[in-house]
Amino acid sequence: MCGIVGAVAKRNIVSILVNGLLRLEYRGYDSAGLVVVHDAKLERVRSAGRVAELGQKSANTYGELGIAHTRWATHGVPSERNAHPHMSRDLIAVVHNGIIENYEELRTELTAQGYEFTSDTDTEVIAHLIHSHYAQGSLLIATQMALSQLVGAYAIGVVAADNPHQLIAARKGSPLLLGVGVGEHFVASDMSALLQVTKNVVYLEEGDVVEVNLANYRIFDQLGNSVQRQVHVSELDNDSVELGEYQHYMQKEIHEQPQALANTLESVCNSQSLVPGIFGAEANTIFPQVENILILACGTSNHSGQVAKYWLEEIAGIPCNVEIASEYRYRTSVPNPKTLVVTISQSGETADTLAALIHAKSTGHAFTLAICNVPESAIIRQSKLRLLTRAGPEIGVASTKAFTTQLAALFLLTLVMAKLRGRLDAEREQQFLHELRHLPAAVQKVLALEPKIAEMAKHFANKHHALFLGRGMHFPIAAEGALKLKEISYIHAEAYPAGELKHGPLALVDADMPVVSVAPNDTLLEKLKSNLQEVKARGGELFVFADAETHIKESEGVHILQMPEHAGFLSPILHTIPLQLLAYYVALEKGTDVDKPRNLAKSVTVE
Ligand code: G6P
């Protein structure tokens, strides 16, 4: 979703703003813009296209103070006039992420005061509100007064034409970071935008307002008190957000999975036994009290939760429910204080997941665990316990390495719970630890199937629909495969538990409907084989992702991809890889924008 970059320095900051926006492109956007303060004037450049176009348009622009934005349309169509920054009477400029819920009411009031609106956005009211309070001379106070009138979520950056060395930024409900340089400072919605200039970062807290000057900065909390916040040194590496030898970030991230899994499992694999402490010190007292588990997540992260349900119930014998966060937050549920609420999120900032967590806490759930890829994210900070996946930055909108590392983390949760409940003897624990240590190598072997999958993808390029089948813990993997395909190739894809085929979707099967089946060699295989016959008998073309031990023969209309090995309970992780590659190569065949699929955003920070 929308991205923000801001800078105040003693050098031209235009290229910093543009490069920062390029780093944020992955979040998804439809237009971009920047404003600099130069010679006591605001100079604004906007583009309804890509950031590269903004870069060209601003090539001759100079400024030592500025703010920039990539917009993902909410109020008003994607267009240059709706692109940020928004200005008030050539004096105030604002960039904004989030949604202002009372903007219509404010717009009416401001119009009555004589302000003219030139866009359809909710953001423009912020610019005029700040302007209306600016007569008093302090941009900080004017911004604070304006913020007190807003209902909704925001991260903002503000500059004024007559204030050449100062930037005001604030956050509530949307992430924002302060980058600390030497005699220069920066703000951004995401660390990856700042790695070009600094690794020193302050994670602003909910309700914080920061006054950023050349040599210093002052932070005020939501009550207006001046506060100190810790400066962290980011562990992110600029190289980790470079494309390197790959064609797309998605391809790079698929190939990074062995390393990402090894990193996520590192502490556990180096030890001889599993302890609750890997989820935080308090896990030692919380976990033994837990009676059941409630998993809340969206999108791909929800699919990892669905796999975990099978593991947790079968291996640990603990009841588990998985809910879509956006549904849970609005329904009346029956809380049990002994439930462990697990939120799963790559970004740690998905609005629905965060709201679901806050809702769960408000109903009396005190046991909360976040499985997340971003340290210091809102979801991490709202949770008592945490396990960080160490996938590294994920840039491609379609989630890949975040998903498999989430699965690894959830498997650890399963094993720790199983051990606490007396369902994991020492021998089995060692066996599982051994399998986890082997996992990165097993994934590497699956990646070697890439050329075969690229060939298979050619069969999909001219299709409009596809069906994905799986059973048991591989059903959520089929769902993830279908999601990947629809996200980046725009082919309509649905997943069904294979047993449901004859209860409806079989009616759709014909030669134009490819059917993809996740067919590992587990106890459900025989049943799955008869489902596959039903498809074949109706002229459907089958693509079977089978194990080494699966005895399904290649024949006319039946394409088999044999997996190198069978991984038992960890099989869902291995079976994810070919489905990611399939979606990737189908998208290549179709020529879609793999890393930035239309209409989608990487982090959905609004409802
Ligand atoms: C968006 C992304 C998905 C992601 C989902 C949840 O829809 O495009 O890839 O799975 O949000 O995001 P999260 O950061 O909470 O895992």
Side-chain angles (χ1 to χ4, degrees):
M1 293 223 141
C2 309
I4 289 178
V5 190
V8 49
K10 268 299 206 196
R11 53 179 166 147
N12 188 5
I13 47 82
V14 171
S15 63
I16 297 174
L17 298 181
V18 172
N19 285 333
L21 291 186
L22 283 171
R23 295 295 189 197
L24 299 181
E25 275 194 308
Y26 77 95
R27 296 169 70 96
Y29 72 104
D30 45 57
S31 50
L34 62 82
V35 78
V36 291
V37 176
H38 188 51
D39 284 344
K41 284 201 196 75
L42 294 176
E43 216 171 297
R44 176 169 68 175
V45 187
R46 295 184 293 177
S47 149
R50 289 290 176 202
V51 173
E53 193 182 314
L54 181 76
Q56 282 161 9
K57 279 177 137 183
S58 58
N60 298 321
T61 310
Y62 185 92
E64 298 182 356
L65 167 69
I67 46 179
H69 191 261
T70 44
R71 174 173 187 254
W72 197 84
T74 53
H75 296 83
V77 296
S79 63
E80 193 167 319
R81 69 188 282 275
N82 285 331
H84 299 210
H86 289 289
M87 288 170 33
S88 183
R89 296 184 180 165
D90 292 329
L91 182 61
I92 301 290
V94 172
V95 289
H96 164 226
N97 291 355
I99 288 183
I100 303 306
E101 288 164 19
N102 60 337
Y103 88 101
E104 278 176 339
E105 190 186 313
L106 292 168
R107 192 174 167 127
T108 310
E109 281 171 27
L110 287 159
T111 308
Q113 287 173 35
Y115 284 101
E116 265 178 49
F117 283 79
T118 57
S119 79
D120 311 312
T121 65
D122 52 341
T123 303
E124 201 178 348
V125 298
I126 308 177
H128 293 315
L129 271 182
I130 295 173
H131 184 280
S132 72
H133 298 300
Y134 192 48
Q136 288 143 34
S138 160
L139 191 57
L140 172 70
I141 292 172
T143 306
Q144 283 171 319
M145 288 170 78
L147 294 179
S148 70
Q149 293 171 267
L150 303 180
V151 177
Y154 55 76
I156 58 164
V158 186
V159 293
D162 59 356
N163 206 345
H165 303 300
Q166 191 176 78
L167 161 64
I168 307 294
R171 65 153 289 193
K172 188 176 164 207
S174 293
L176 199 67
L177 317 168
L178 169 71
V180 181
V182 180
E184 52 187 25
H185 290 99
F186 311 92
V187 295
S189 47
D190 186 320
M191 190 62 213
S192 50
L194 296 186
L195 288 173
Q196 52 167 333
V197 279
T198 184
K199 283 193 155 202
N200 299 328
V201 58
V202 175
Y203 297 98
L204 295 176
E205 304 251 336
E206 193 65 359
D208 278 357
V209 180
V210 57
E211 183 194 76
V212 189
N213 301 303
L214 270 175
N216 55 37
Y217 60 88
R218 293 192 298 159
I219 303 176
F220 300 88
D221 67 11
Q222 49 193 339
L223 300 173
N225 300 319
S226 172
V227 284
Q228 300 291 323
R229 302 264 183 246
Q230 200 187 338
V231 180
H232 297 259
V233 179
S234 172
E235 285 177 12
L236 273 187
D237 180 345
N238 210 14
D239 287 351
S240 59
V241 290
E242 294 288 349
L243 198 48
E245 68 196 88
Y246 294 97
Q247 247 185 299
H248 296 97
Y249 281 105
M250 184 180 178
Q251 187 192 25
K252 175 178 184 245
E253 287 156 7
I254 289 173
H255 281 270
E256 281 172 347
Q257 287 178 108
Q259 191 58 50
L261 285 163
N263 291 346
T264 302
L265 294 168
E266 191 181 11
S267 58
V268 178
C269 289
N270 288 341
S271 72
Q272 287 311 306
S273 80
L274 287 153
V275 288
I278 56 173
F279 295 92
E282 283 182 89
N284 288 306
T285 46
I286 292 177
F287 278 6
Q289 300 178 58
V290 169
E291 286 176 0
N292 58 57
I293 290 180
L294 170 64
I295 296 179
L296 303 171
C298 304
T300 288
S301 297
N302 186 277
H303 289 153
S304 71
Q306 289 182 38
V307 175
K309 177 182 166 78
Y310 288 90
W311 288 338
L312 284 159
E313 298 213 342
E314 187 169 346
I315 304 172
I318 189 163
C320 175
N321 276 322
V322 187
E323 289 204 40
I324 299 277
S326 55
E327 287 294 308
Y328 171 80
R329 63 182 285 197
Y330 288 119
R331 79 176 182 88
T332 308
S333 50
V334 184
N336 170 356
K338 296 283 173 65
T339 299
L340 176 68
V341 176
V342 180
T343 49
I344 309 171
S345 176
Q346 187 286 126
S347 61
E349 61 178 68
T350 299
D352 281 323
T353 309
L354 180 60
L357 171 60
I358 292 168
H359 174 70
K361 285 166 62 173
S362 76
T363 65
H365 286 295
F367 299 164
T368 52
L369 162 67
I371 292 182
C372 184
N373 197 36
V374 180
E376 301 293 336
S377 61
I379 287 174
I380 287 276
R381 281 190 274 160
Q382 283 285 342
S383 305
K384 239 188 199 134
L385 306 174
R386 67 189 58 184
L387 186 69
L388 283 175
T389 50
R390 291 175 56 203
E394 193 180 63
I395 308 290
V397 164
S399 189
T400 52
K401 60 178 180 170
F403 178 67
T404 44
T405 52
Q406 285 166 357
L407 287 174
L410 289 161
F411 197 71
L412 295 179
L413 177 66
T414 304
L415 297 186
V416 169
M417 283 294 173
K419 200 170 164 185
L420 283 173
R421 297 164 76 86
R423 291 175 65 110
L424 191 69
D425 61 29
E427 194 185 329
R428 208 154 172 243
E429 182 181 359
Q430 289 313 312
Q431 180 57 31
F432 278 132
L433 283 173
H434 170 76
E435 286 172 20
L436 284 171
R437 284 185 199 111
H438 174 65
L439 189 60
V443 169
Q444 196 68 56
K445 281 193 206 163
V446 183
L447 287 168
L449 299 174
E450 189 168 4
K452 284 190 187 160
I453 299 167
E455 271 306 303
M456 205 180 236
K458 293 184 178 149
H459 294 271
F460 288 75
N462 59 357
K463 298 287 192 285
H464 300 291
H465 307 274
L467 211 52
F468 283 67
L469 303 177
R471 294 196 82 118
M473 61 184 176
H474 293 92
F475 165 60
I477 299 304
E480 176 58 10
L483 178 63
K484 288 287 88 84
L485 191 70
K486 75 181 109 173
E487 279 178 316
I488 60 166
S489 77
Y490 315 146
I491 292 177
H492 169 227
E494 295 300 332
Y496 273 88
E500 275 292 288
L501 188 64
K502 52 184 154 324
H503 298 295
L506 196 54
L508 301 172
V509 172
D510 62 15
D512 287 328
M513 170 76 96
V515 180
V516 177
S517 176
V518 187
N521 198 0
D522 60 19
T523 49
L524 296 169
L525 180 63
E526 285 309 317
K527 287 184 196 296
L528 186 61
K529 278 187 190 168
S530 49
N531 297 146
L532 299 184
Q533 289 308 325
E534 291 163 3
V535 171
K536 207 179 150 192
R538 280 149 188 92
E541 201 164 2
L542 272 169
F543 297 85
V544 182
F545 291 84
D547 272 353
E549 299 149 36
T550 311
H551 303 293
I552 302 176
K553 293 265 171 303
E554 183 114 3
S555 59
E556 168 119 28
V558 181
H559 310 268
I560 309 278
L561 187 96
Q562 206 87 27
M563 296 283 276
E565 52 186 271
H566 179 61
F569 277 110
L570 294 174
S571 166
I573 299 181
L574 295 194
H575 269 276
T576 301
I577 315 293
L579 298 179
Q580 295 170 341
L581 286 168
L582 179 69
Y584 175 71
Y585 280 99
V586 175
L588 280 197
E589 289 289 329
K590 294 195 69 178
T592 55
D593 191 346
V594 173
D595 286 330
K596 296 185 279 293
R598 68 186 184 200
N599 307 340
L600 297 181
K602 180 73 186 158
S603 300
V604 183
T605 49
V606 295
E607 236 189 298

